[in-house]
Amino acid sequence: MKICLIGPTHPFRGGISHYTTLLYRHLRKRHDTLFISFVRQYPKWLFPGKTDIDPSQEHIQEPGVLKILDSMNPLTWIKTVRTIITNNPDLVIIPWWVSFWAPQFWIISFFVKLFIKTKIIFLCHNVVEHESKWIDKLLTKLVLKQGDGFIVHSDDDLNNLKRILPDARVQKTFHPTYDVFNMADFDPQTIRAQYNITGNILLFFGFVRPYKGLKFLIQAMPEIVKSHDVTLMVVGEFWKDKEEYLSMIQALDLSKKVVIVDEYVPNEEVGNYFCAADLVVQPYISATGSGVVQTAFAFNKPVIATRVGCLTDVVDHGKTGFIVDPQDSSAIALAVGVYLSEINHAKMAGNIQSKSRLFSWDRLIKVIEKINETI
């Protein structure tokens, strides 16, 4: 099959960039795949973080990427259309995650379908973005109407898509594992020594935004530390409201029990944090997909997650982690206590490893192939 994939890759940072790069890596093993990527994603004034450029020394990248798209230059959108038409693929795959991309992706998908007979699949990381407004939902509908098929990673996104496009041909499948960080290269003692941490480590990893529910994990800590020697590591760039979190930590007398690492973690350092952690916690208020849980599973680390989005599909309660209600600090504290006091850690790690085949990239490729056959 001849495929054109559009999306971010190196030098841009973050989970979507990693996902699209790894998807290309596995697609090109089985199909003739053209990967069109960006020369610029977001203007600096619009991006909420420090930068969207990856600071890593060890890059997650693949050869043969055609970097054309500039989000702010419509001429590059037309160039992308012409490139796809010239390539004449059987299938075009476009990731969807925020409505910022509505003008670009609408132009590309509309004119490609106007001039050639190709199928378009939207791979929806978020059908409707987190903390969205009505205009975001309207733009989302305009773009996704161009799709012939859709892939989602959660029931929430499946339902969101069906509300927007009731007749959409959609397939739900697991978010694949980020298996690019070699566990053998990391020493579990590195982070403990660097931050002088003893006892157990809880890890909250990734950009800090309100929907991720960090405050409920912080509120659980006083109950946790009553019975266990535990340090919470919050590792990820704060996009806003950092002072509110720091004030909460101080008010709860947790200054010695919470370590803040306010930065985007380069690829070569990611494994240090996951190897050091005893337990990864995702106390999300809302969610669709998540790359963090799949990174944790790549290191055989159990996850406490909330009953939102795809997390209930991915985390097997009592076997590969724990599922708790969102916005429930007591439930988080109880789950941490159960894991530390009652669970055979080696057995749970073994459960995670044995389930890894469900989260393979080959599984995702087969889903793409199946959708292509049915649309």
Side-chain angles (χ1 to χ4, degrees), residues 147-150 161-170 375:
D148 298 294
F150 303 87
L161 182 62
K162 286 293 188 178
R163 277 192 287 268
I164 295 172
L165 300 172
D167 297 325
R169 296 179 178 177
V170 55
I375 58 178

Side-chain angles (χ1 to χ4, degrees), residues 150 196 275:
F150 303 87
N196 194 28
C275 278

Side-chain angles (χ1 to χ4, degrees), residues 2-75:
K2 203 171 184 181
I3 297 174
C4 177
L5 172 66
I6 302 173
T9 187
H10 176 77
F12 301 106
R13 72 183 195 178
I16 306 287
S17 179
H18 292 166
Y19 184 111
T20 314
T21 305
L22 294 173
L23 175 57
Y24 173 58
R25 176 182 295 179
H26 291 272
L27 275 173
R28 66 200 294 260
K29 293 177 182 178
R30 298 169 59 155
H31 301 285
D32 179 3
T33 306
L34 172 68
F35 187 6
I36 297 177
S37 191
F38 307 117
V39 292
R40 175 170 56 169
Q41 284 194 117
Y42 308 103
K44 291 182 179 179
W45 58 268
L46 185 61
F47 188 72
K50 297 172 184 176
T51 177
D52 66 343
I53 301 300
D54 192 343
S56 304
Q57 297 298 312
E58 296 180 8
H59 304 141
I60 298 174
Q61 60 182 338
E62 289 292 305
V65 181
L66 192 59
K67 297 180 181 180
I68 298 177
L69 269 170
D70 182 331
S71 65
M72 305 304 289
N73 184 350
L75 292 178

